[in-house]
Amino acid sequence: MADETKLEDHLAALAESGLRHAAPVAAERIRARGERRLRRRRAALVSGGALLAVAVTVGGLSLAWASRGPEPPAVTPTPTDSSFVPPAPAAGEEYAGELGYVYGAVAKGDTVRVTVEQLRTVRGAATPVGVVHTLTLPRGTLVEARQLGGGSPEDLDLGRLVGRLAGGPRWVFVIDYDSEGRVHSLREAYWLAE
């Protein structure tokens, strides 16, 4: 029986010793996990800050690059000897329109020079006003065409229509001017061109 008591005491001492040594190891693991978490969090914050800095830099460069791009297709008409004054949009309107024959197209580099003879509508028919002027526009100026496009409505570049508009007054367009007197687009007035 004495041996059993000694054995129990010895096992109790061993268990107590194991607990003393086990507790610091568990605490070390918890502390190590906490430090790893803290390092990962710091790394994520640093990389997120670096990513934000890169995004801001790239965004700023793209904005700077975009400002160096080509001007919009709207251009101020070249002055002529005629008494033509570009129409101004009415209050609340984005564009003002000029109705006229567009003809005599001549391509020169990146521009197209056209002659415009102003018209007005009288009982659904086009009547010349007597004002003729020329416009020099970029080849990429948007033209909303129907009959020039083969009968179906489509948007074309002015450069593609030079051959069709090179002749005399035949095609009637509404020319859209912005508030600065620049041409924004041409729209075929197919209902008057017939």
Side-chain angles (χ1 to χ4, degrees):
M1 193 103 185
D3 288 335
E4 280 185 24
T5 307
K6 279 184 184 180
L7 184 60
E8 285 179 7
D9 289 339
H10 183 61
L11 287 175
L14 188 60
E16 187 178 322
S17 165
L19 284 176
R20 268 184 288 160
H21 293 295
V25 172
E28 273 302 310
R29 282 192 216 141
I30 292 170
R31 192 175 306 113
R33 275 186 272 166
E35 286 175 4
R36 281 194 303 260
R37 252 184 271 136
L38 186 60
R39 281 194 302 268
R40 284 195 303 261
R41 184 173 180 198
R42 285 180 184 155
L45 288 173
V46 168
S47 67
L51 183 62
L52 178 63
V54 168
V56 168
T57 302
V58 169
L61 289 175
S62 65
L63 287 175
W65 187 259
S67 67
R68 293 182 186 162
E71 290 293 317
V75 295
T76 306
T78 55
T80 60
D81 295 333
S82 73
S83 59
F84 171 72
V85 176
E93 297 283 327
E94 188 173 3
Y95 301 110
E98 170 192 19
L99 184 66
Y101 285 117
V102 176
Y103 60 95
V106 177
K108 188 173 185 181
D110 289 342
T111 61
V112 175
R113 191 188 78 232
V114 295
T115 302
V116 179
E117 181 180 353
Q118 277 188 346
L119 301 171
R120 68 172 181 223
T121 55
V122 177
R123 290 185 228 139
T127 306
V129 175
V131 177
V132 177
H133 62 94
T134 60
L135 295 174
T136 303
L137 305 169
R139 291 179 77 92
T141 301
L142 180 66
V143 178
E144 296 175 23
R146 183 171 169 177
Q147 292 177 344
L148 279 169
S152 61
E154 61 182 307
D155 294 336
L156 303 169
D157 289 342
L158 182 59
R160 289 181 54 196
L161 299 174
V162 170
R164 307 269 328 254
L165 298 174
R170 174 180 174 197
W171 304 100
V172 179
F173 287 90
V174 176
I175 304 166
D176 294 321
Y177 292 86
D178 65 12
S179 59
E180 296 176 10
R182 298 179 302 186
V183 174
H184 183 277
S185 65
L186 286 83
R187 293 179 287 129
E188 183 181 0
Y190 59 88
W191 59 91
L192 295 173
E194 297 173 349

